[in-house]
């Protein structure tokens, strides 16, 4: 599933100026230096919909997969990149705890 998520997203929707990669066990990160929070959330929603509608096939069986997306924006008060990642992580857990298969922000 992780390989297929990576393949589907990389081919279909990751803007050229963005960095996309795996960020841990089952997590991915998309870093978009030219997007504001609202635009990032729109991209997150597009990602969420593509994954939800994609047919994941394993041993001839179709599986449905959903994702929870957290979005955050680098603000002047964030002196270290790790602060941004903490905010993204917090937003992702808001999405998971709010019912999963959704996009949430850190605000």
């Amino acid at each position: 599933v992780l390989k297929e998520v990576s393949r589907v997203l990389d081919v279909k929707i990751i803007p050229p100026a963005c960095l996309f990669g795996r960020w841990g066990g089952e997590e991915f990160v998309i870093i978009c230096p030219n997007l504001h929070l609202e635009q990032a959330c729109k991209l997150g929603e597009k990602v969420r919909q593509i994954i939800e509608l994609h047919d994941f096939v394993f041993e001839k069986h179709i599986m449905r997969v959903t994702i929870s997306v957290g979005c955050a924006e680098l603000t002047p008060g964030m002196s270290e990149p790790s602060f941004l990642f903490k905010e993204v992580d917090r937003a992702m857990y808001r999405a998971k705890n709010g019912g999963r298969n959704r996009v949430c922000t850190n605000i």
Side-chain angles (χ1 to χ4, degrees), residues 1-96:
V1 170
L2 295 175
K3 287 180 183 178
E4 185 69 2
V5 165
S6 181
R7 188 190 67 74
V8 167
L9 294 183
D10 193 37
V11 169
K12 289 191 177 179
I13 67 151
I14 304 301
C18 296
L19 298 173
F20 170 64
R22 192 161 163 202
W23 181 259
E26 297 176 345
E27 297 175 355
F28 290 90
V29 64
I30 303 171
I31 300 172
C32 301
N34 299 322
L35 298 184
H36 294 288
L37 185 59
E38 183 179 323
Q39 296 165 311
C41 289
K42 286 180 183 177
L43 176 61
E45 180 59 24
K46 189 173 179 181
V47 166
R48 188 200 65 73
Q49 288 177 6
I50 286 172
I51 296 302
E52 181 180 42
L53 298 173
H54 184 74
D55 289 337
F56 288 83
V57 180
F58 179 71
E59 295 181 353
K60 299 181 184 177
H61 298 286
I62 294 176
M63 300 183 306
R64 292 291 173 206
V65 174
T66 61
I67 60 171
S68 299
V69 178
C71 295
E73 185 173 38
L74 186 64
T75 61
M78 293 180 185
S79 59
E80 298 289 328
S82 62
F83 295 149
L84 177 61
F85 287 103
K86 286 179 185 176
E87 290 300 306
V88 170
D89 198 52
R90 195 173 87 177
M92 182 193 59
Y93 278 101
R94 283 184 65 205
K96 285 184 176 187

